[in-house]
Amino acid sequence: MQDDSCSHISEDAQLPRKRFSISSRVIPQLMIALDSLVILSSALISYIAIVYFGELSYYAAAVAFVWLVAIMLMNFAGLYEFDPIIRPFAFVDKIIIVFATTFSFLLAAAFALKISSEYSRIWTGSFAISACAATVLFRILAAQVIGRLADRHVFSRNIVIVGSGEQAQKLLTHIDKSRPRFITVLGAFAESRQGVANGVSRYAMLGTIDDLLSYIRNHNVDDVVISLPWSADDQITAMMSKLRELPVNVYLSADLIGFRLPIRPAPAHFGELPLVEVMGRPLAGWGGIQKALLDYGLGIILTILLLPMMVLTVIAIRLESKGPALFRQQRYGFVNRIFEIYKFRTMRHAEAPQGKIMQATREDPRVTHVGRLLRRLSLDELPQLFNVLNGTMSLVGPRPHAVQHNEEYARLIRGYFARHRVKPGMTGWAQVNGFRGETKTLEQMEARVQYDSYYVENWSLLFDLKILAMTALICLTGRNAY
């Protein structure tokens, strides 16, 4: 309980002073300028140190090509969104992939135009390495500088909350838990004097809604967050009309359901309908086309390259034990449709017990010598390239489970079938994080499902390429295989 003298804790001496209002709309533009400066400086330093007397026009064209393609790819990869800028360590892999792709395009263009001999290989390599390393380094330094300035309230936005009910309490509790670095909550304004007396969370009560406009005029306020029930539409509309007179941004906090479900703007095809999106379809828009191009393009190439190895594998399997070289089994796939998966047989051919499918275990006596080698190198999965080409599987996606196991775990794990919102894959995010092969406990399967769900919700083309690269490394080392 606070009296009125305490509730109006809003003197300038008690509020953090700020110098600059950081905006998530401005920072990306500054980062584009920084990345451009780093790339062009790396090119110039490499040229002066290595070439200097070479044909300038060819090198200038190559630098311009790398600069434009790298910036476009980083924008396409989401690296100019606020989170990657502030947390660069979590996105280093994307930056490396962007530069590897950019210089691959440069080499392809140079060979296609038959001008590759005009470029120094040492310059090309040093430019690629220095540009990538410098971009990562300067992004880390920029994030550190911005973060420190935010912690000192030099780069920070001052906000006030309007509301003292359940919505406002949930919002302030969420702020306490997430602790965003770039906002400073000056306090809250209640709907009535009773709300001022009761207080909201640990934040100062600055008065009632009637005091809001006067407070904004006399203090450095950047953003006003209205946290009232959406049913109070008349009160919110009237408040908006008054706030139009002041130079502040106004945001409407989510209603109670918004604290339980993610809310995004609805797609433009809904026109001006007042809708928000709470669940999106995976691989929407160009995502489905990009994934199909990756699956069929890379799938065809891998099938052609690996076909001789698959023929030799068939011969080895048939020589060691009787029975077919290919193993077929029904699995649940996209939207729970049953399909037939192909694998190289790694066990001795025998009838499975009626109504029971036994998971393979480490040191399983049923596994043949050839089968153990195939499992260790994950080569038993190669026939699934034909599943990719016939459209029942993808190169990357949640691994399909046996029908019986699917039905069993669906009863035990909430949201289990959400992993079937995309096609199953030959490899997946769960597998490269160690959840491959036998699952001995329910907790292990729950963890696998969580990784699969994360993949479904966060898919991107670069994410698929990252998983494929990690899979290749695991196959070569034989890690987490049996």
Side-chain angles (χ1 to χ4, degrees):
M1 183 75 72
Q2 296 175 328
D3 58 29
D4 285 350
S5 63
C6 292
S7 65
H8 292 277
I9 180 171
S10 58
E11 299 301 321
D12 283 340
Q14 294 174 292
L15 293 177
R17 294 183 178 274
K18 70 176 185 60
R19 299 171 191 171
F20 302 102
S21 300
I22 192 171
S23 172
S24 58
R25 298 186 180 97
V26 173
I27 293 297
Q29 309 303 319
L30 295 176
M31 191 54 63
I32 290 175
L34 177 62
D35 286 342
S36 298
L37 179 62
V38 167
I39 293 171
L40 296 175
S41 298
S42 299
L44 180 60
I45 293 172
S46 298
Y47 179 82
I48 293 174
I50 297 170
V51 182
Y52 197 70
F53 295 109
E55 180 59 45
L56 181 60
S57 60
Y58 284 113
Y59 285 94
V63 171
F65 177 89
V66 168
W67 168 51
L68 292 173
V69 172
I71 296 297
M72 287 191 294
L73 287 179
M74 283 196 279
N75 184 58
F76 173 75
L79 291 171
Y80 291 115
E81 295 175 5
F82 197 66
D83 191 44
I85 293 172
I86 301 305
R87 298 192 307 116
F89 283 108
F91 297 87
V92 169
D93 55 340
K94 282 193 174 184
I95 296 174
I96 294 173
I97 291 173
V98 162
F99 277 97
T101 304
T102 299
F103 279 89
S104 296
F105 286 164
L106 174 65
L107 294 176
F111 279 111
L113 297 173
K114 299 181 179 180
I115 57 173
S116 58
S117 59
E118 300 292 336
Y119 298 103
S120 163
R121 291 181 176 85
I122 298 176
W123 174 83
T124 304
S126 64
F127 178 25
I129 294 171
S130 62
C132 181
T135 299
V136 171
L137 177 61
F138 276 88
R139 276 178 168 256
I140 292 172
L141 290 175
Q144 291 293 323
V145 170
I146 294 171
R148 288 182 182 275
L149 291 176
D151 292 339
R152 297 180 182 181
H153 303 291
V154 176
F155 273 0
S156 184
R157 299 189 67 81
N158 289 342
I159 73 170
V160 294
I161 310 295
V162 178
S164 58
E166 189 175 0
Q167 278 88 352
Q169 291 175 6
K170 284 186 175 292
L171 175 63
L172 291 172
T173 299
H174 194 72
I175 290 174
D176 282 339
K177 289 181 179 178
S178 60
R179 295 187 177 278
R181 300 173 73 180
F182 297 95
I183 66 169
T184 301
V185 179
L186 303 182
F189 290 86
E191 295 96 316
S192 63
R193 288 292 173 186
Q194 182 64 37
V196 173
N198 292 337
V200 176
S201 184
R202 65 180 178 84
Y203 295 94
M205 295 304 300
L206 303 175
T208 67
I209 292 177
D210 294 334
D211 304 316
L212 176 62
L213 270 65
S214 175
Y215 182 89
I216 294 174
R217 289 192 177 98
N218 293 290
H219 296 84
N220 291 322
V221 177
D222 299 305
D223 305 312
V224 177
V225 179
I226 300 175
S227 189
L228 299 173
W230 285 11
S231 57
D233 52 330
D234 290 338
Q235 186 180 13
I236 293 172
T237 303
M239 194 183 311
M240 289 290 298
S241 298
K242 294 179 181 179
L243 289 171
R244 290 183 192 280
E245 304 172 4
L246 299 171
V248 292
N249 299 305
V250 181
Y251 301 93
L252 181 62
S253 175
D255 213 350
L256 291 178
I257 189 65
F259 293 97
R260 303 180 64 183
L261 296 174
I263 290 178
R264 296 178 290 269
H269 57 250
F270 284 105
E272 297 181 359
L273 292 178
L275 304 176
V276 293
E277 180 183 298
V278 295
M279 182 181 296
R281 176 178 177 172
L283 305 177
W286 287 101
I289 297 175
Q290 292 169 5
K291 192 164 181 65
L293 289 173
L294 177 65
D295 284 342
Y296 290 110
L298 186 56
I300 291 172
I301 294 172
L302 290 175
T303 301
I304 294 172
L305 293 176
L306 297 173
L307 190 58
M309 181 186 296
M310 287 192 273
V311 172
L312 293 175
T313 303
V314 169
I315 295 172
I317 293 171
R318 295 298 299 272
L319 288 175
E320 184 183 18
S321 61
K322 296 180 180 180
L326 283 182
F327 171 74
R328 296 178 175 85
Q329 189 181 60
Q330 287 191 332
R331 302 283 177 97
Y332 274 118
F334 181 55
V335 294
N336 291 6
R337 295 171 186 160
I338 294 178
F339 73 101
E340 196 170 63
I341 193 172
Y342 307 130
K343 298 179 72 173
F344 282 131
R345 179 173 59 84
T346 58
M347 297 182 179
R348 291 174 178 83
H349 186 58
E351 293 294 330
Q354 186 65 30
K356 181 69 173 177
I357 296 177
M358 302 286 292
Q359 286 195 55
T361 60
R362 194 175 298 272
E363 306 302 332
D364 196 315
R366 299 172 296 167
V367 178
T368 64
H369 295 297
V370 173
R372 200 169 302 281
L373 177 63
L374 293 177
R375 283 176 173 271
R376 187 170 69 83
L377 299 176
S378 299
L379 297 179
D380 58 320
E381 314 287 357
L382 287 183
Q384 288 161 36
L385 285 168
F386 297 106
N387 285 111
V388 173
L389 297 181
N390 69 23
T392 55
M393 288 182 65
S394 177
L395 290 174
V396 182
R399 286 293 295 158
H401 299 150
V403 172
Q404 181 180 330
H405 296 155
N406 247 25
E407 294 171 350
E408 176 186 349
Y409 287 119
R411 291 191 296 268
L412 300 174
I413 301 175
R414 185 177 181 182
Y416 175 85
F417 281 129
R419 62 198 299 276
H420 293 170
R421 297 174 69 201
V422 297
K423 289 181 183 179
M426 293 181 65
T427 184
W429 185 231
Q431 283 64 47
V432 298
N433 281 281
F435 294 94
R436 178 184 181 276
E438 181 188 12
T439 49
K440 297 180 179 180
T441 65
L442 180 62
E443 289 73 21
Q444 286 179 329
M445 182 58 75
E446 287 176 335
R448 179 183 286 190
V449 171
Q450 288 176 359
Y451 275 102
D452 289 339
S453 298
Y454 178 86
Y455 169 80
V456 171
E457 297 295 335
N458 296 275
W459 178 88
S460 71
L461 185 60
L462 289 176
F463 197 7
D464 269 6
L465 293 174
K466 174 182 176 179
I467 293 172
L468 288 172
M470 293 174 69
T471 301
L473 181 62
I474 290 171
C475 289
L476 291 174
T477 60
R479 178 167 62 88
N480 193 42
Y482 57 85

